[in-house]
Amino acid sequence: MSVQDHHGMKPLEGMSAYCVRGHYETKQRDDRFGRLFGNISPAYTPKAILEEIGRDGGPMDGGNDDDRTDSVPVGMVFFGQFVDHDITLDASTSFDSVVDNPGEISNVRTPTLDLDCIYGLGPEAQPYLFVQGGSFGGAKLLTGADNPGQNGLANDDLLRSPNGRAMIGDPRNDENRVISQLQLAMIRFHNHVCDTLHAEEGCEGHELYEAARRETSWHYQWAVVNDFLVAMCGRPVVEKILGCGRMHYCGGTPFIPIEFSVAAYRFGHSMIPMKIQVQKAKSPLELFGAILGRGFDALTDAKGVVDWHELLDTPEGRQVERAQKLDTKLAGDLLKLPFITEGENSLATRNLLRGNTFLLPGGEKVAEAIDCDQATIDKVVAKIGQINSDLPEHGIPLWLYILAEAEVIGRSETNGSTKEGEALGPVGATIVAETIIGLLEFDQHSYLGANRNWSPRPDWNTLGKLVTAAQP
């Protein structure tokens, strides 16, 4: 999405070996957004066509269809949202304006997977997020369980102020109950790491905070690469990038490409089901209903407590709910968002309009740039033509191309085949995997930037283990 400069302007050294070709001719800034394919002319699709495609009841409306993937846990979709909040925030643009130079747009988050959405500015700058005094002072993070007078079910909730707002590093991680429960799970994991390191090594205070933050961040980053990217992009794509280098995300400075933030990384919108079962043997709940859809307020209904064994693969081996198939359909509720009372309330239309706003290149042009074979491109374009016959003449919106590509081509599998609808196809997978791996490789504090031989503890080596390590 964006490019950011919170760490100063000095380029990171020694990273060019990760890039095979395609170095930027212009300097990227880590506090700004940028482009992967700046040499490709932007596509333009008339607004009326985009509104027709994305409208409630239109060709992208999946209604109540419940067609699930075979292998992607539904919790992965929300984890993807959590990762997005960790690396990007564009607080300055709308789809009513044209953005010619994304380098002028500030990214309010650091473009590194450093969990600043959890830690904020740290215990010195934001001490109210942390335990004070004792061995764990300035090391452990506070939760609602540390605030007995807090309204609602404090033991299962984030730390909240008297007005009900969560006291966390990124307020967006309280916008619905599932993401707020994931934020809580990550805080609990950090505190669990503090307990473990204190017991094993005896460190405390600031030393404990630094050690626990690194362990927590590196295990989280490992899960992003080896669970999330493998599930969403395919293991062959991930292993090729790690082993052979990135072809398009280059330049030496971590930044967020608009092709990633405005198009490719919005793939998860197609995988969100209308209902989710968050507790064992309980009825599924409406995602935008009163229990799960309510955000920015205290947890008051025990039904909203998320059991992560139900949403992610864990050692308990439960029958985990799967995400919706990745295709050109979105759940009906997403095309009439209930919390938007003025202006465009179709998420599909909003995404499509932003493609025009940011002057994104057409999807078929990006496919050519990453050397997709023509037969693959033709198959995707044919699918797009079924949605709207005028689209191939105008240039295909990158986001829509990526959805259609996932539907008719799908995720690369280890046996050399592809699986339609399971996850991203070649264009989407390349943009997402290269960007996220690039962010890690350009960050000297990440496990890929600091120690590529590092491996996680067996007890914390999957996302499912990580978020349930300290679950009551």
Side-chain angles (χ1 to χ4, degrees), residues 3 60 99 130 167 201 225 252 332 358 435 442:
V3 186
M60 295 190 72
V99 179
F130 294 83
M167 299 176 68
E201 302 174 15
V225 173
F358 282 87
T435 298
F442 286 152

Side-chain angles (χ1 to χ4, degrees), residues 263-393:
Y265 205 66
R266 296 179 182 236
F267 72 88
H269 295 163
S270 169
M271 304 183 81
I272 300 172
M274 295 182 69
K275 292 184 177 182
I276 303 175
Q277 180 178 319
V278 298
Q279 295 179 7
K280 188 175 182 178
K282 298 294 179 64
S283 298
L285 301 173
E286 292 279 352
L287 181 59
F288 294 109
I291 296 174
L292 295 185
R294 185 177 181 181
F296 308 112
D297 204 355
L299 173 68
T300 57
D301 193 325
K303 294 178 182 178
V305 177
V306 173
D307 180 354
W308 289 102
H309 294 291
E310 291 292 306
L311 301 189
L312 290 167
D313 294 321
T314 74
E316 286 201 5
R318 295 188 196 172
Q319 185 173 347
V320 177
E321 187 168 5
R322 301 302 180 189
Q324 288 284 108
K325 282 192 173 180
L326 180 48
D327 53 26
T328 55
K329 303 289 187 180
L330 273 67
D333 285 353
L334 297 179
L335 274 64
K336 46 182 183 295
L337 294 169
F339 49 83
I340 296 180
T341 57
E342 296 183 6
E344 181 56 62
N345 68 349
S346 165
L347 182 59
T349 302
R350 293 172 72 91
N351 287 345
L352 292 165
L353 289 172
R354 284 186 74 80
N356 275 351
T357 295
F358 282 87
L359 304 179
L360 288 182
E364 74 280 18
K365 298 299 183 183
V366 175
E368 292 173 4
I370 70 167
D371 296 327
C372 283
D373 64 85
Q374 192 59 47
T376 296
I377 297 173
D378 290 344
K379 188 173 183 180
V380 179
V381 172
K383 174 61 188 178
I384 297 290
Q386 295 172 12
I387 297 171
N388 185 291
S389 58
D390 292 327
L391 275 174
E393 300 300 320

Side-chain angles (χ1 to χ4, degrees), residues 232-253:
M232 298 304 192
C233 302
R235 185 174 298 280
V237 173
V238 174
E239 290 183 348
K240 182 178 180 180
I241 293 171
L242 289 173
C244 302
R246 289 167 281 103
M247 303 291 285
H248 307 283
Y249 185 93
C250 303
T253 300

